[in-house]
Amino acid sequence: MVTAPEIRETAAPDGRPRDAVVRDALGVGVAVGLSGFAFGVTAAGAGINTLQACVLSLLVFTGASQFALVGALAAGGNPFTAAAGAFFLGTRNAFYGLRLSELLRLPRAVRPLAAHWVIDETTAVALAQPDRKSARLGFTVTGLTLYVLWNVTTLLGALGAEAIGDTRAWGLDAAGPAVFLALLAPMLKTATERAVAALALVLGLGFLPVLPAGVPVLIAALAAPVVLWMKGRRS
């Protein structure tokens, strides 16, 4: 798990320069923001129209939950089950918010807006900074870049998918899962994280043929507590 360094109110003399923080934040924002294309295409393949896809990106703005939702719908899942799976994945952002509220200490007036940008990428960039000023800058630049690009590319992806017709005929229905796996793979750095991912894969695929669409995602989430429990017993 990524932990934050000691929080300081202002940048230390040897702290990171402003341009370095902005460069890293832009890199993360652009790299991940462009994957909104895949979400737009996946949403169109699931029968979600362009307006609905854009509203999801504007209001939900958490890629894992959005992909889970449209993936379950594309598989013929119940909308309530699909929404439950997406909601479950999104709850992790609440825990990020608890940590970031202490780190950033933003004015009350902007907290509701900032909460909308509390996702994996903005959290990672903020926690990587050595002081509060740099953390605020990294969080803001990452959030703004990612939010704008994600929504623009969602629109372009959805429009493009509608223009070419049946996305499955082009194999584009696999774009969403492929992007999600590409984003996930570099995060699996420890043996515990890899074990959780492997068990989640086994549970998800194992229950896929016998449970309604969307439910295997919820079952796969049990991988984390199971692996942590086993690790605790061994130690």
Side-chain angles (χ1 to χ4, degrees):
M1 178 179 294
V2 179
T3 57
E6 180 183 356
I7 301 172
R8 295 187 293 274
E9 291 291 344
T10 57
D14 57 348
R16 300 191 69 205
R18 178 187 176 93
D19 59 347
V21 178
V22 172
R23 181 182 64 248
D24 291 348
L26 285 174
V28 172
V30 171
V32 180
L34 292 177
S35 62
F37 279 115
F39 173 70
V41 171
T42 305
I48 295 175
N49 63 39
T50 300
L51 177 60
Q52 291 169 331
C54 290
V55 169
L56 276 173
S57 285
L58 284 168
L59 300 182
V60 178
F61 187 54
T62 173
S65 295
Q66 291 178 233
F67 277 119
L69 176 64
V70 299
L73 292 176
N78 184 289
F80 294 103
T81 303
F87 176 80
F88 184 84
L89 288 174
T91 56
R92 72 193 188 284
N93 295 335
F95 296 98
Y96 295 161
L98 293 175
R99 185 65 188 91
L100 289 179
S101 65
E102 177 187 356
L103 173 63
L104 302 178
R105 293 187 183 178
L106 297 172
R108 290 184 180 273
V110 301
R111 288 179 188 175
L113 297 175
H116 194 48
W117 287 356
V118 175
I119 54 176
D120 297 329
E121 293 77 18
T122 55
T123 301
V125 172
L127 293 179
Q129 307 311 318
D131 57 86
R132 177 165 291 122
K133 184 177 180 180
S134 298
R136 286 180 172 179
L137 178 61
F139 176 86
T140 302
V141 174
T142 305
L144 179 61
T145 305
L146 185 49
Y147 189 73
V148 171
L149 275 179
W150 181 265
N151 282 281
V152 170
T153 55
T154 293
L155 173 62
L156 295 177
L159 290 175
E162 287 187 355
I164 65 175
D166 185 7
T167 56
R168 296 189 180 189
W170 296 80
L172 295 179
D173 53 313
V179 170
F180 186 75
L181 289 175
L183 294 174
L184 176 65
M187 300 180 185
L188 305 178
K189 298 179 180 179
T190 68
T192 300
E193 291 170 346
R194 289 190 289 270
V196 170
L199 181 56
L201 178 63
V202 171
L203 290 174
L205 292 179
F207 284 100
L208 187 62
V210 296
L211 292 177
V215 176
V217 174
L218 300 178
I219 300 297
L222 296 175
V226 168
V227 170
L228 292 176
W229 176 75
M230 295 176 62
K231 181 180 178 182
R233 289 200 51 155
R234 290 178 181 177
S235 60

